[in-house]
Amino acid sequence: MPVTYEHHSEGAIITCDNPPLNIFGQAMRAGLQSAITRARDDRPKRLIITGAGRSFVAGADAKEFDGEPQSPHLNDILADLVDLPFPTIAAVSGPALGGGLEIALACRFRIASPKATLGLPEVTLGIVPGAGGTQRLPRLIGIAAAADLIGQGRTIAADEAVRLGLVDILADDPLAAALAMGINVLRRAIVADHRPAPRQDEAAIAAAHKLADRRAPGQNAPHIAIDLVAASATDPLDTTLVRERSAFLGLRQSTQARALRHVFFAERAAQSQGKSYPAPERPISTAIVVGGGMMGAGIAYALTFAGLRVHVLETDAAGQARAEANLDRLIAQGMERRAISDLQDFRDRVTFGAGYENLPAVDLAIEAAFESMDVKRTIFAALQMALPADTILATNTSYLDVNAMAAELANPDRFVGLHFFAPAHVMKLLEIVRGDKTSTATLGQAFALARRMGKIPVLSGVCDGFIGNRILSRLRKNADLMLLEGSCPKGVDDAMRGFGMAMGPYEAQDMSGLDIAYANRKRQRLREQPGVRYVPIADHMVEVLGRLGRKTGAGWYDYDASGKAMESDAVTHAIYKASDSAGVKRVTLSKDDITERAVLSMIVEAVAILEDGIAARPQDIDLVLVHGYGFPRWRGGLMHFADDLGLPVVLTKLEALAAADPLSWSVPTLLRQLVGEGRNFDSLNRDGAIA
């Protein structure tokens, strides 16, 4: 039974029991309603609600949100709980999230384990609390704290919950403490509904809206939730509870909520994908990182933070000193964020060295060196000579051929791509690149490591740029074409940020350096390929103008001493000159035109990636774009967004572009197939069938 009820002489206990996290759906709601009805008849000295195992109630079953609401409804159940004439206690032994916390908020008294976590994270799924959370929480902790927690969907630890007034006391055994609590203390406890309305705080509400704009740009739910919190100070409780429920029901089937749920379930599927491979007999606990630049330092920090012992390897003493300085900066930042609890232990698990002599025997060695095949082959030749034969060798390459690197290794089955994203200690995406000879055991170790590091793992096949950078390259080519035909860097960047991207393609290139993309174009010899419409503007920027981005103070934009970007006359002149040379009559492109063409170009490349078998499922591409490239989470990722547009609509638009410019545009066979069968990309997530 998902809910049990026991009546003893000292009180009654309702236990939510749906392992492992006591996620509740219709059956648990019905059980809770029945138990509360029994308690009303029994009139116990106290009623305790708790959770079995290590969780209280970790929220609702989000899968139910795709259908119509099913009775009984939690808001009605909690109204009955609030009206009980005897003391009610929430004994919180683990996560109390979403509807789980709303259950606790409807009790008169809350006791939590020091290890418990509490929060109302609904806005991260595009909805708002729907069972009193926005109204009861501010009556306990005030407008400012409630708007902050609910508006961000933030989860807090038990000690912070006590400081705020959300939890009354901490106890190692909350259920035992609830049974032992003095009856006079419990009788003085007042349920949130009967407490005074919180004091208005317009400044806190304005600050919460501003923070939501920064941390969740383009999303509706945080602002609706914050306004509901504000209303708790001014409007009658019965009115605001109805308003909150209406907002919850209105949002749960919204485009944003469906998109955010899609990403949520895609993340869960990615994190469980490692179960498809052999479980490691012994987890990776030691590693070498070759290269102590910013990427290598970020990888070393992330590995150390995950509990590994890490040796950072450089070529000489000067490089070693730079590597130590880079890691010192990251450690200092970690201390400032209070992410590192034991500084000495962290430092003790990191060592530095120069050269390949006397390397420690490790489970994993990963290179984060210059993007050159010759450089990387030299590194791996030295590593396999210096390390045990069973050490996993990994490359962090962003573009280069993983199979070509593995070809000269004695044990290519122990070789894998681990493509981190900068900054590696912050970005959650990890592309795991499977070479032709990478063993399933090695993949099992890679997925286990990703899980230990808290990364979102996505499996990729071998191609130039893998999943994310291959799509990025296509976007950049199309953006350059739009420069040629009538736009400018700022126009493209503004349009893409307006769509919800974290950065536009030109400001992103200036951040990473124009020389990186230039080197890739030269390596691919794109200018020499037949049947391709090549736009030379980006090459001209590097070869003639010497503009490499922020690091040289000039790229697609000019930069002043403070780093502020300004449009460049030199770049504008180069663009117009290229248009004249190509015989292109420039036509002003609107923001909508730019956004549509940019997104369509990414969709075309993504479909090709599926056709080539580089990505297994469309939702993997969604995760790569969301977690690695700033695609708006609230749009669900690239392929989910295409489904929302409607694949027949996408097909029609691509056919028109291909007819006008067949050198730049084509219509993928898979897209035609799906439209002909009346299917969408999500159908491939469910059944994986690509005929």
Side-chain angles (χ1 to χ4, degrees), residues 401-473:
D401 189 336
V402 168
N403 289 326
M405 289 184 212
E408 298 179 7
L409 296 178
N411 297 307
D413 59 312
R414 302 284 291 176
F415 189 77
V416 68
L418 295 178
H419 181 208
F420 290 82
F421 288 74
H425 63 297
V426 174
M427 299 290 281
K428 296 192 70 174
L429 178 65
L430 179 64
E431 279 185 322
I432 298 176
V433 185
R434 180 177 193 165
D436 290 346
K437 296 186 178 180
T438 305
S439 70
T440 56
T442 299
L443 291 175
Q445 286 280 16
F447 276 99
L449 179 64
R451 183 169 59 252
R452 184 171 179 180
M453 298 175 73
K455 300 293 186 184
I456 302 291
V458 173
L459 187 66
S460 171
V462 176
C463 68
D464 203 294
F466 315 125
I467 298 173
N469 279 337
R470 179 168 161 179
I471 294 173
L472 178 63
S473 294

Side-chain angles (χ1 to χ4, degrees), residues 50 91-93 111-114 170-180:
T50 191
V92 181
S93 57
I111 304 172
S113 160
L170 296 181
D172 291 331
D173 187 340
L175 178 57
L179 289 168

